[in-house]
């Protein structure tokens, strides 16, 4: 762990074994942090916030973020390799993520000294009123295993730009790359303790972090069970919270869509990252007039997909990141088949050459699914697409919105009317038209309904790490 600029083992001396999902073998050990370590990380962040960090100008903070972005570009190969080994992310994707990360730090580096308050009119004669924005203080960032570096960065970058100090709690399944990121931050010049990493199980140290009195904000990405626990705990201390939770996003294909582009887009939307993405387009809603031909094209497109070693650049589908997740996906598939779903592609465990013991699930497309079946309602978080036909625009919108989640949605159409009308009717934080997964640091991202509270990315996100303060000055007390 990295706490206050020092390497630390867990106070208990215990470790968590980390499995390489391609080989199925242990490749690293992560300190199993406990309450003492969590408290120590928050204390270190608090102390750092009172020292040199506090005296830096916003422009100086921005320069440190620019330094970090440069180091990520120079040394990103190592960050990428760590994610490939730790969570089975394909190298091609991991290298893209690293490039994206640098862009995040650059974006918020540029914003650091553009946090502006304002002087506003005031309804009392002669008074001066202005607002300033101040860093909240210690921020705890809790991150899942599916995209550790990126999902930590969406929090760390605006938090540091705002002048906060940070404790990151990575997933117990995916800590290695974030520990290395903290090391790079110190190399970039951030004072020790500004960015700390404490590792361990959420159930064991999460509560200590989210209830610690010195913590002012918790930024969480993960599932809705963890999210609810975090929100409840943070509420006890009236801490600010943002929650980025799961999804079951519809991808709607109309009969007037460019079918080839839609085949590409729909398969990429679910099968990239082996379906382990909150924004995965896991429900295909396809207009009945083209449903059979579209699904057949999709099956043909994916039939040749190469499962295998995530380090190889021609691999299309890597392993799932964790063993519990792998078992969970296979159980969901079995139940769906028992309930009448038909696997027109895949449907079971994959055993590619060299990865026979790895955590592979075949890319799977299920038909004979209705939107009330668990496979269509629950977030499976694997390479599993359900196909559901619809007849009218009305019905497409109704099925799309008939979900507890509301993270993202896609639609494929050549109709300008549909491209303009349908997004406004969908309950989702992001709607893509004739594209999917096109995310940007500049575009707010987050969910409706059970998909979360608040938005990350974009200029506004920095305000989630700032407290607004109103200052009211009476110019003279002479007549008081
Ligand atoms: P998870 O909720 O099990 O764990 C996420 C993190 O929370 C981990 O670090 C875990 O240790 C910690 N945690 C768990 N219980 C906690 C508690 N009681 N208190 C404090 N911390 C606790 O999620 P996961 O399985 O690691 O990740 C997959 C989930 O993340 C999926 O639901 C996925 O959709 C979601 N996700 C959402 C987004 C988004 O931006 N909306 C992005 C990626 C992943």
């Amino acid at each position: 762990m990295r706490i206050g600029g020092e390497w630390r083992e867990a106070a208990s001396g215990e470790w968590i074994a980390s499995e390489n999902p391609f080989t199925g073998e242990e490749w690293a050990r992560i300190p199993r942090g406990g309450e003492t370590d969590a408290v120590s990380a928050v204390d270190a962040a608090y102390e750092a916030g009172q020292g040199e960090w506090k005296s830096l100008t916003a422009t100086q903070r921005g320069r440190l973020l620019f330094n970090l972005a440069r180091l990520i570009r120079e040394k990103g190969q190592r960050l990428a390799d760590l994610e490939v080994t730790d969570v089975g992310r394909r190298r091609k994707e991991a290298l893209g993520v690293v490039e994206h990360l640098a862009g995040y730090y650059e974006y918020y580096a540029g914003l650091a000294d553009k946090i502006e308050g304002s002087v506003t009119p005031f309804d009392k004669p002669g008074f001066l009123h202005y607002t300033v924005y101040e860093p909240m203080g210690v921020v705890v960032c809790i991150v899942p295993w599916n995209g550790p570096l990126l999902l930590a960065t969406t929090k760390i970058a605006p938090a540091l730009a705002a002048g906060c100090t940070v404790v990151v709690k990575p997933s117990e399944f995916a800590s290695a790359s974030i520990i290395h990121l903290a090391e790079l931050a110190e190399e970039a010049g951030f004072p020790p303790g500004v960015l700390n990493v404490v590792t361990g199980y959420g159930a064991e140290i999460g509560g200590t972090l989210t209830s610690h009195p010195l913590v002012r904000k918790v930024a969480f990405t993960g599932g809705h069970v963890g999210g609810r626990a975090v929100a409840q705990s943070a509420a006890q201390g009236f801490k600010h919270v943002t929650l980025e939770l799961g999804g079951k996003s519809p991808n709607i294909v109309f009969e007037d869509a460019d079918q080839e582009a839609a085949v590409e887009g729909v398969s990429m939307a679910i099968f990239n990252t082996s379906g382990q993405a909150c924004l995965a387009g896991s429900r295909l809603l396809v207009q009945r007039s083209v449903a059979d031909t579209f699904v057949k094209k999709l099956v043909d497109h994916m039939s040749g997909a190469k499962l295998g070693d995530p380090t190889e650049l021609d691999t299309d589908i890597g392993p799932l990141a964790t063993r519990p997740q792998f078992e969970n996906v296979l159980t969901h598939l079995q139940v769906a088949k028992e309930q009448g779903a038909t696997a027109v592609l895949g449907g079971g465990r994959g055993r590619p050459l060299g990865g026979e013991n790895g955590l592979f699930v075949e890319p799977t497309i299920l038909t004979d699914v209705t939107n009330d079946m668990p496979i269509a309602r629950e977030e499976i978080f694997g390479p599993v697409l359900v196909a559901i036909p619809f007849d009218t625009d009305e019905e497409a919108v109704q099925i799309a919105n008939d979900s507890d989640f509301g993270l993202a949605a896609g639609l494929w159409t050549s109709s300008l009317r549909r491209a303009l009308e349908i997004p406004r009717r969908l309950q989702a934080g992001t709607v893509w038209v004739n594209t999917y997964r096109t995310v940007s640091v500049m575009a707010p991202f987050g969910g409706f309904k059970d998909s979360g509270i608040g938005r990350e990315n974009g200029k506004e996100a920095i305000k989630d790490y700032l407290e607004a303060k109103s200052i009211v000055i009476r110019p003279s007390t002479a007549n008081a």
Side-chain angles (χ1 to χ4, degrees), residues 30-268:
I30 301 298
R32 183 175 175 173
E35 199 178 323
T36 316
D37 306 297
V39 169
S40 162
V42 174
D43 289 346
Y46 183 78
E47 285 303 316
Q50 305 309 304
E52 180 195 350
W53 180 240
K54 196 176 184 175
S55 63
L56 295 186
T57 63
T59 307
Q60 287 170 318
R61 289 202 304 270
R63 278 192 202 121
L64 294 179
L65 285 160
F66 277 123
N67 285 349
L68 178 56
R70 181 179 44 75
L71 283 177
I72 289 172
R73 285 192 202 286
E74 281 171 19
K75 305 189 177 189
Q77 191 80 31
R78 168 106 177 109
L79 286 170
D81 285 348
L82 286 169
E83 279 213 357
V84 172
T85 313
D86 208 14
V87 297
R89 187 185 273 280
R90 290 182 304 144
R91 170 164 282 138
K92 210 180 346 183
E93 282 167 7
L95 291 170
V97 166
V98 165
E99 184 66 24
H100 200 44
L101 287 192
Y104 260 87
Y105 289 103
E106 284 159 353
Y107 180 85
Y108 285 103
L111 264 185
D113 60 3
K114 288 151 201 85
I115 301 165
E116 293 170 351
S118 55
V119 181
T120 62
F122 200 65
D123 59 355
K124 311 276 180 292
F127 282 66
L128 172 68
H129 168 244
Y130 61 99
T131 51
V132 293
Y133 289 92
E134 298 178 352
M136 276 182 182
V138 178
V139 176
V140 165
C141 306
I142 301 181
V143 183
W145 46 259
N146 64 314
L149 283 173
L150 181 62
L151 298 169
T153 290
T154 57
K155 301 160 184 56
I156 295 171
L160 295 182
C164 295
T165 57
V166 173
V167 176
V168 187
K169 209 299 279 169
S171 165
E172 48 273 32
F173 296 105
S175 301
S177 57
I178 294 178
I179 295 172
H180 186 48
L181 181 68
E183 207 181 350
L184 287 186
E186 283 170 40
E187 192 178 335
F190 284 93
V194 169
L195 177 59
N196 307 277
V197 182
V198 59
T199 57
Y201 292 103
E204 292 181 1
I205 57 170
T208 306
L209 292 169
T210 54
S211 63
H212 194 298
L214 292 176
V215 171
R216 290 312 316 144
K217 152 110 191 177
V218 183
F220 174 90
T221 298
H224 61 275
V225 176
R228 190 167 286 121
V230 165
Q232 280 169 348
S233 167
Q236 296 303 314
F238 302 109
K239 299 178 196 314
H240 297 262
V241 176
T242 42
L243 301 172
E244 295 287 343
L245 308 177
K248 189 72 187 177
S249 300
N251 211 349
I252 309 170
V253 177
F254 288 96
E255 60 192 2
D256 62 22
D258 173 339
Q259 302 287 301
E260 304 310 317
V263 164
E264 278 278 340
V266 167
S267 49
M268 176 273 288

Side-chain angles (χ1 to χ4, degrees), residues 406-473:
L407 190 62
L411 60 117
W412 299 83
T413 180
S414 57
S415 154
L416 181 60
R417 177 190 62 76
R418 282 184 169 131
L420 289 170
E421 269 180 29
I422 306 273
R424 300 299 296 267
R425 298 173 62 192
L426 294 173
Q427 295 163 356
T430 298
V431 182
W432 289 291
V433 181
N434 295 330
T435 181
Y436 204 94
R437 282 189 190 242
T438 320
V439 289
S440 163
V441 62
M442 298 164 201
F445 184 81
F448 285 29
K449 303 191 276 187
D450 287 6
S451 291
I453 298 174
R455 296 289 180 270
E456 294 189 322
N457 304 351
K459 280 192 286 192
E460 292 301 310
I462 204 163
K463 292 244 171 91
D464 284 336
Y465 298 89
L466 295 163
E467 293 279 15
K469 182 180 280 178
S470 267
I471 300 178
V472 181
I473 299 181

